[in-house]
Amino acid sequence: MKIVLLGAPGAGKGTQAQKLVADYGVAHISTGDLLRAAVKAQSKLGVEAKGYMDAGKLVPDQLVIDLVKERLAQDDAQKGFILDGFPRNTAQAEVLDKELSGMGIALDAALLVDVKADVIINRLSSRRTCRSCGYTAGAGVDVCPRCGGEMYQRDDDKPETIKKRLDTYESQTAPLVGYYREHGILKEVDGDRPVDEVYADVKALLCL
Ligand code: AP5
């Protein structure tokens, strides 16, 4: 399994990725999670990335590309991976194509989880995320069901930042739908249904 998950902030990319990882043991490469880990560690990258993330903007391409290249080279990614939140613009998609081609592999699919903006604003305003492992759930879940960690509200899940993230998605990331359609690997799922219904369709689309 070598796939890219596409979709607006809060569409459910991470939720579907968590289920695929649990069932198929592939590597979950979430650039958002990698960047939040860098922010938490207060590394040079984290300090630089935080301002962009809090403003709902994309972190500069080169910082994210280096992170992804390093992660793709790790052992657990060799048997398959889910790229969640990368690529986020055409420049990143072209670098990814080149990098994978250099590794002698190609993407199997780019899966768009399609959800309308009004649904997304409600979901993100009530989302809670685990500080330790990144697991996500709705409001009211205070302890992570996966690792027992503390659930918190992400800094960028505040209403004013959600709006900016949606604008960034529309202007910079949505064009990737056309990019992957032209490459013949786009698959689309209606993400505005219960999680398990969406997942059943995801598995069917990926022939799992
Ligand atoms: P990132 O962490 O990637 O955020 P995002 O793309 O905005 O996606 P989210 O994690 O918010 O949403 P999701 O689709 O995974 O939804 P989830 O499954 O959690 O990026 C954060 C920031 O980092 C960016 O703004 C940017 O600054 C930077 N960044 C990251 N990658 C970058 C890149 N490549 N280049 C440059 N900058 C980058 O679900 C959301 C909620 O809905 C949860 O509460 C969940 O429980 C619930 N839910 C999920 N599915 C359903 C369903 N079917 N029905 C009801 N509720 C559901």
Side-chain angles (χ1 to χ4, degrees):
M1 189 191 303
K2 296 176 285 297
I3 63 169
V4 160
L5 287 180
L6 288 176
K13 304 180 295 295
T15 300
Q16 296 301 321
Q18 285 166 6
K19 294 181 84 65
L20 287 167
V21 169
D23 287 349
Y24 300 98
V26 288
H28 179 197
I29 304 179
S30 158
T31 41
D33 286 351
L34 292 170
L35 289 167
R36 279 184 289 281
V39 170
K40 192 174 169 188
Q42 296 185 308
S43 65
K44 188 167 171 280
L45 164 66
V47 170
E48 192 168 349
K50 187 169 174 19
Y52 294 96
M53 296 170 79
D54 287 351
K57 295 180 180 168
L58 295 185
V59 172
D61 287 345
Q62 201 51 51
L63 300 180
V64 182
I65 287 166
D66 289 347
L67 267 184
V68 171
K69 280 188 183 173
E70 196 182 309
R71 187 65 187 82
L72 278 172
Q74 289 174 11
D75 283 350
D76 67 332
Q78 306 316 305
K79 63 178 177 181
F81 55 80
I82 300 167
L83 280 165
D84 169 5
F86 184 93
R88 215 98 164 190
N89 57 31
T90 308
Q92 292 183 10
E94 287 170 351
V95 170
L96 177 64
D97 286 345
K98 204 169 154 202
E99 186 67 16
L100 293 180
S101 150
M103 293 166 75
I105 55 179
L107 289 172
D108 300 319
L111 178 68
L112 171 67
V113 183
D114 193 19
V115 178
K116 301 283 169 284
D118 53 337
V119 176
I120 277 169
I121 290 167
N122 284 334
R123 280 190 190 176
L124 289 184
S125 312
S126 63
R127 172 168 63 181
R128 297 295 177 270
T129 303
C130 177
R131 271 193 204 285
S132 303
C133 74
Y135 185 88
T136 54
V141 181
D142 300 324
V143 177
C144 175
R146 187 162 70 183
C147 77
E150 180 201 354
M151 303 293 282
Y152 80 112
Q153 184 173 38
R154 271 171 43 179
D155 289 343
D156 60 352
D157 279 349
K158 309 277 160 56
E160 59 284 6
T161 316
I162 293 171
K163 168 80 176 56
K164 288 183 192 143
R165 288 164 63 200
L166 284 169
D167 290 345
T168 301
Y169 174 78
E170 281 307 324
S171 60
Q172 299 192 51
T173 311
L176 289 181
V177 174
Y179 179 91
Y180 285 116
R181 187 177 284 126
E182 277 171 25
H183 282 65
I185 58 167
L186 182 75
K187 295 178 189 290
E188 299 177 59
V189 65
D190 174 3
D192 189 11
R193 293 173 300 143
V195 171
D196 288 337
E197 277 184 32
V198 178
Y199 186 53
D201 278 5
V202 165
K203 286 197 292 184
L205 284 165
L206 297 177
C207 304
L208 297 172

